[in-house]
Amino acid sequence: MDKGNVIEGRPGSPSYAIGKLFVYERKTYRPLHVKAEDTSFELKRYERARQDAIDSLSIAYERINNRAGARNAEIFKAHTMILKDEEYNARVINNILTDEMNAEWAVSDAGRYFYEFFNALEDESVSAKATDIKDVTNKLIRLLTGTDNSPEINEPVILASPYLTPSELVQIKRDNLKGIVMLEGSLYSHVVILARTVGIPVVLGVYMPESLTGHEAIIDGVNGQVFTDPDPELKDKYGRLIEEEARADCELKKYIGLETVTGYGRKVNLYANIAGLNDAEYAMECDCEGIGLIRTEFMFLDRDTLPTEEEHFNAYKEIVELCAGKRVVFRTLDLGSDKGGTLLDLKEEENPALGKRGIRVCLTNKELFIAQLKGILRAAAYGDVSVMYPMITSGGEILRIDHMMEQAMEELDREGVPYGEVRQGIMIETPAAAMISDELAAMVDFFSIGTNDLTQFTLALDRQNRELAQFYNPMHEAVMRMIQLTIDNAHEEGIPVTVCGELASDPDAIKHLVDMGVDALSVSPKSVLKVRKAICEM
Ligand code: PEP
Ligand code: MG
């Protein structure tokens, strides 16, 4: 019997989906040609890119307006105004017609001219426009050079791609994503973690050619298989599995409202890891006891511009209010060149995991960091807020953070803006931090162990590399000893420890972590009730 074509891969997120395939391949870069061969053709290219940019900004405006309100969406209107600005357009057109530049070069030149003009102005309210001009210009250049990548999806599909960056993923409406098939990536890639957060099935290690777009497929994220053009019998079978899954989720609901406590009476706090407001709603439905990790970078990856203090504040306040008094831990931006996006002009790096990322980005972009800290402090006036810092390796970094935190508070005091108290913690996700956790414990209010990175760095093994999946072992004796050392040092100082890496929801690890003395686990919302069940049954 013909069941359809089965392609074997690896499980990424354990769930099932039936749907239409959409294959997305990132376009590659076209080099700049300075001299226009046909000026009227270049003019048309410019006009088309300008219109595409206006259209995409209008979509972005609607999306952010619905999700985070008009104030957060304002930036897209400002960018549209630049695209419609007479002087900006006149300069580009003149560059093409008179100086015979090609469209991308003409845009780049105009952008530089206006950027320098506004940047030189004393008046801050006007000079801020320089950044907007740079962003708009970059957007146009990406459109003209075919590097403005994001899959355009307008209906629910199974998305297949050789590799997706987190910034591409966050641009897709969640309702339109039934499942993901990727060639590259691993269980610990951020895209896969984000999909697991909300229970979207993922199969890894499978390449799908673009010709399969529009074909029907089944993805089985439990066994790591993709079936293309499945026959009705197979569709029935997976239809039943999807129903069973929904029933099992329903069964777990009896753990809603229960305390997370072992049979022998040990209480473990159970928090959720989220990437934004939508996840927070889902996490609350899953009855988490708070939010143990907000990966704040994902809230801003779908845009070109750095968030202002006001935007940070508005976005965080909504989450804090939604959590209605439950604990909320904001992790400051853990940006790096591996996450994609154009938020910061981070150069591509040979080793992005070891590169300019996490706290290194924040400590070297003072303005960005202070704006975020002020946003978090202000949101803290509305609930129980903590802040934690990623990729810490030394006490010196904590001193520098403290200094910036003081500055953020001083600025708010001076401006007369109200803010709340925040507890400050650090991620223990580098071997360095684990090894000196005795020293670090005396400097902060809590630890959160990021086992995804801690494993990657301890085993010297790229967490994203699909070829290495069989060697990636977060329960390696070396990692477990570092976790134990961290817990012991924290407790010696009287501070609590959460584990927030993927290990916290691994059925084989939960008991070990609880026995090792961990105070809290922070897991994807989808896993909250499963983990509570596992702990209650201990
Ligand atoms: C970790 O490294 O374990 C972690 C929780 O952070 P991220 O997965 O975002 O790097
Ligand atoms: Mg990490």
Side-chain angles (χ1 to χ4, degrees), residues 188 190 193 273 293 295 297-298 331 334 339 357 427 429 449-454 463 500-502:
Y188 303 92
H190 280 102
I193 291 175
N273 297 343
L293 164 64
R295 293 179 162 102
E297 61 278 10
F298 291 110
R331 179 176 75 183
D334 188 2
K339 295 224 165 91
R357 59 168 287 200
M427 301 271 304
E429 55 182 346
I449 305 179
T451 51
N452 306 338
D453 277 320
L454 187 60
R463 69 192 250 193
C500 67
E502 294 302 293

CSV table of all heavy atoms in Angstrom, one decimal, residues 188 190 193 273 293 295 297-298 331 334 339 357 427 429 449-454 463 500-502, ligand 1:
chain,number,residue,atom,x,y,z
A,188,TYR,N,18.5,22.2,20.6
A,188,TYR,CA,18.8,23.4,21.4
A,188,TYR,C,19.0,24.7,20.6
A,188,TYR,O,19.4,25.7,21.1
A,188,TYR,CB,20.1,23.1,22.2
A,188,TYR,CG,19.9,21.8,23.0
A,188,TYR,CD1,20.2,20.6,22.5
A,188,TYR,CD2,19.2,21.9,24.3
A,188,TYR,CE1,19.9,19.4,23.3
A,188,TYR,CE2,19.0,20.8,25.0
A,188,TYR,CZ,19.3,19.5,24.5
A,188,TYR,OH,19.1,18.4,25.2
A,190,HIS,N,17.6,28.0,19.0
A,190,HIS,CA,16.5,28.9,19.5
A,190,HIS,C,15.2,28.8,18.7
A,190,HIS,O,14.1,28.8,19.3
A,190,HIS,CB,17.0,30.4,19.5
A,190,HIS,CG,17.8,30.6,20.7
A,190,HIS,ND1,19.2,30.7,20.7
A,190,HIS,CD2,17.5,30.8,22.0
A,190,HIS,CE1,19.7,30.9,21.9
A,190,HIS,NE2,18.7,30.9,22.7
A,193,ILE,N,13.5,25.8,20.1
A,193,ILE,CA,13.1,26.1,21.5
A,193,ILE,C,11.8,26.9,21.4
A,193,ILE,O,10.8,26.6,22.1
A,193,ILE,CB,14.2,26.8,22.3
A,193,ILE,CG1,15.3,25.8,22.6
A,193,ILE,CG2,13.6,27.3,23.6
A,193,ILE,CD1,16.5,26.5,23.3
A,273,ASN,N,9.2,29.6,30.6
A,273,ASN,CA,10.1,30.3,29.8
A,273,ASN,C,9.3,30.9,28.6
A,273,ASN,O,8.6,30.1,27.9
A,273,ASN,CB,11.2,29.4,29.1
A,273,ASN,CG,12.1,28.8,30.2
A,273,ASN,OD1,12.2,29.3,31.3
A,273,ASN,ND2,12.8,27.8,29.7
A,293,LEU,N,11.9,33.0,32.9
A,293,LEU,CA,12.8,33.5,31.8
A,293,LEU,C,12.0,34.1,30.7
A,293,LEU,O,11.2,33.4,30.0
A,293,LEU,CB,13.6,32.3,31.3
A,293,LEU,CG,14.4,32.5,30.0
A,293,LEU,CD1,15.4,33.6,30.1
A,293,LEU,CD2,15.1,31.3,29.5
A,295,ARG,N,12.9,35.7,27.3
A,295,ARG,CA,14.0,36.0,26.3
A,295,ARG,C,13.7,37.3,25.6
A,295,ARG,O,13.1,37.2,24.5
A,295,ARG,CB,14.2,34.8,25.4
A,295,ARG,CG,14.7,33.5,26.0
A,295,ARG,CD,14.8,32.4,25.0
A,295,ARG,NE,15.6,31.3,25.4
A,295,ARG,CZ,15.1,30.1,25.9
A,295,ARG,NH1,13.8,29.9,26.0
A,295,ARG,NH2,15.9,29.2,26.3
A,297,GLU,N,15.0,39.4,23.8
A,297,GLU,CA,15.5,39.7,22.5
A,297,GLU,C,14.5,39.3,21.4
A,297,GLU,O,14.3,40.0,20.4
A,297,GLU,CB,16.9,39.1,22.2
A,297,GLU,CG,16.9,37.6,22.2
A,297,GLU,CD,17.1,37.0,23.7
A,297,GLU,OE1,17.0,37.8,24.6
A,297,GLU,OE2,17.3,35.8,23.8
A,298,PHE,N,13.7,38.3,21.7
A,298,PHE,CA,12.7,37.8,20.7
A,298,PHE,C,11.6,38.8,20.5
A,298,PHE,O,10.9,38.7,19.6
A,298,PHE,CB,12.2,36.4,21.1
A,298,PHE,CG,13.3,35.4,20.9
A,298,PHE,CD1,13.9,34.8,22.0
A,298,PHE,CD2,13.8,35.1,19.7
A,298,PHE,CE1,14.9,33.9,21.9
A,298,PHE,CE2,14.8,34.2,19.5
A,298,PHE,CZ,15.4,33.5,20.6
A,331,ARG,N,15.1,38.5,31.2
A,331,ARG,CA,16.5,38.4,30.9
A,331,ARG,C,16.8,39.5,30.0
A,331,ARG,O,16.1,39.8,29.0
A,331,ARG,CB,16.8,37.1,30.3
A,331,ARG,CG,18.3,37.0,29.9
A,331,ARG,CD,18.6,35.6,29.4
A,331,ARG,NE,18.1,35.5,28.0
A,331,ARG,CZ,18.2,34.3,27.3
A,331,ARG,NH1,18.8,33.3,27.9
A,331,ARG,NH2,17.8,34.2,26.1
A,334,ASP,N,19.7,39.0,24.9
A,334,ASP,CA,20.8,38.1,24.7
A,334,ASP,C,21.0,38.0,23.1
A,334,ASP,O,20.7,37.0,22.5
A,334,ASP,CB,20.5,36.7,25.2
A,334,ASP,CG,21.7,35.7,25.1
A,334,ASP,OD1,22.7,36.1,24.7
A,334,ASP,OD2,21.5,34.6,25.5
A,339,LYS,N,21.4,35.1,15.9
A,339,LYS,CA,20.0,35.2,16.0
A,339,LYS,C,19.3,35.9,14.8
A,339,LYS,O,18.1,36.0,14.7
A,339,LYS,CB,19.6,36.0,17.3
A,339,LYS,CG,20.0,35.2,18.6
A,339,LYS,CD,18.9,35.2,19.6
A,339,LYS,CE,19.1,34.2,20.7
A,339,LYS,NZ,19.9,34.7,21.9
A,357,ARG,N,27.9,38.6,22.2
A,357,ARG,CA,26.5,38.2,22.5
A,357,ARG,C,26.3,38.5,23.9
A,357,ARG,O,27.2,38.7,24.7
A,357,ARG,CB,26.2,36.8,22.1
A,357,ARG,CG,27.1,35.8,22.7
A,357,ARG,CD,26.6,34.4,22.6
A,357,ARG,NE,25.4,34.1,23.4
A,357,ARG,CZ,25.0,32.9,23.7
A,357,ARG,NH1,25.6,31.8,23.3
A,357,ARG,NH2,23.9,32.8,24.4
A,427,MET,N,22.5,34.5,34.9
A,427,MET,CA,22.5,33.1,34.3
A,427,MET,C,23.8,32.5,34.6
A,427,MET,O,24.8,33.1,34.4
A,427,MET,CB,22.3,33.2,32.8
A,427,MET,CG,21.1,33.9,32.2
A,427,MET,SD,19.7,32.8,32.0
A,427,MET,CE,20.2,31.6,30.9
A,429,GLU,N,25.7,30.0,32.9
A,429,GLU,CA,25.6,29.2,31.6
A,429,GLU,C,27.0,29.1,30.9
A,429,GLU,O,27.1,28.7,29.8
A,429,GLU,CB,24.6,29.8,30.7
A,429,GLU,CG,24.7,31.3,30.3
A,429,GLU,CD,23.6,31.8,29.4
A,429,GLU,OE1,22.9,31.0,28.8
A,429,GLU,OE2,23.5,33.0,29.3
A,449,ILE,N,20.3,28.6,36.1
A,449,ILE,CA,21.3,27.8,35.3
A,449,ILE,C,20.7,27.5,33.9
A,449,ILE,O,19.7,26.9,33.7
A,449,ILE,CB,21.6,26.5,36.0
A,449,ILE,CG1,22.0,26.7,37.5
A,449,ILE,CG2,22.6,25.7,35.2
A,449,ILE,CD1,22.4,25.4,38.3
A,450,GLY,N,21.5,28.0,32.9
A,450,GLY,CA,21.1,27.8,31.5
A,450,GLY,C,21.9,26.6,31.0
A,450,GLY,O,23.0,26.7,30.5
A,451,THR,N,21.2,25.5,31.1
A,451,THR,CA,21.9,24.2,30.8
A,451,THR,C,22.2,24.1,29.3
A,451,THR,O,23.1,23.4,28.8
A,451,THR,CB,21.1,23.0,31.2
A,451,THR,OG1,19.8,23.1,30.7
A,451,THR,CG2,21.2,22.9,32.7
A,452,ASN,N,21.4,24.8,28.4
A,452,ASN,CA,21.7,24.7,27.0
A,452,ASN,C,23.1,25.2,26.6
A,452,ASN,O,23.8,24.6,25.9
A,452,ASN,CB,20.7,25.6,26.2
A,452,ASN,CG,19.2,25.3,26.6
A,452,ASN,OD1,19.0,24.2,27.1
A,452,ASN,ND2,18.3,26.2,26.3
A,453,ASP,N,23.4,26.4,27.1
A,453,ASP,CA,24.7,26.9,26.9
A,453,ASP,C,25.8,26.3,27.8
A,453,ASP,O,26.9,26.0,27.3
A,453,ASP,CB,24.7,28.5,27.1
A,453,ASP,CG,24.2,29.2,25.8
A,453,ASP,OD1,24.6,28.7,24.7
A,453,ASP,OD2,23.5,30.2,25.9
A,454,LEU,N,25.4,26.0,29.0
A,454,LEU,CA,26.4,25.4,29.9
A,454,LEU,C,26.9,24.1,29.3
A,454,LEU,O,28.1,23.8,29.3
A,454,LEU,CB,25.8,25.2,31.3
A,454,LEU,CG,26.8,24.7,32.3
A,454,LEU,CD1,27.9,25.7,32.6
A,454,LEU,CD2,26.1,24.4,33.7
A,463,ARG,N,25.8,23.8,20.1
A,463,ARG,CA,24.5,23.3,20.3
A,463,ARG,C,23.6,23.3,19.1
A,463,ARG,O,22.5,22.7,19.1
A,463,ARG,CB,23.8,24.1,21.5
A,463,ARG,CG,23.5,25.5,21.1
A,463,ARG,CD,23.1,26.4,22.4
A,463,ARG,NE,21.7,26.7,22.4
A,463,ARG,CZ,21.2,27.6,23.2
A,463,ARG,NH1,21.9,28.2,24.1
A,463,ARG,NH2,19.9,27.8,23.2
A,500,CYS,N,16.8,26.8,34.1
A,500,CYS,CA,15.9,27.2,33.0
A,500,CYS,C,16.2,26.7,31.6
A,500,CYS,O,15.6,27.1,30.6
A,500,CYS,CB,15.8,28.8,33.0
A,500,CYS,SG,17.3,29.6,32.5
A,501,GLY,N,17.3,25.9,31.5
A,501,GLY,CA,17.6,25.3,30.2
A,501,GLY,C,16.6,24.2,29.9
A,501,GLY,O,15.8,23.8,30.7
A,502,GLU,N,16.7,23.6,28.7
A,502,GLU,CA,15.8,22.6,28.3
A,502,GLU,C,15.8,21.3,29.2
A,502,GLU,O,14.9,20.6,29.3
A,502,GLU,CB,16.1,22.2,26.8
A,502,GLU,CG,15.8,23.3,25.8
A,502,GLU,CD,14.4,23.8,25.9
A,502,GLU,OE1,13.5,23.0,25.5
A,502,GLU,OE2,14.2,24.9,26.3
B,1,PEP,C1,20.4,28.4,28.2
B,1,PEP,O1,21.4,28.7,27.7
B,1,PEP,O2,20.2,27.3,28.8
B,1,PEP,C2,19.3,29.3,28.2
B,1,PEP,C3,18.2,29.1,29.0
B,1,PEP,O3,19.3,30.4,27.4
B,1,PEP,P1,19.2,30.3,25.8
B,1,PEP,O4,18.6,29.0,25.5
B,1,PEP,O5,18.3,31.4,25.5
B,1,PEP,O6,20.6,30.5,25.3
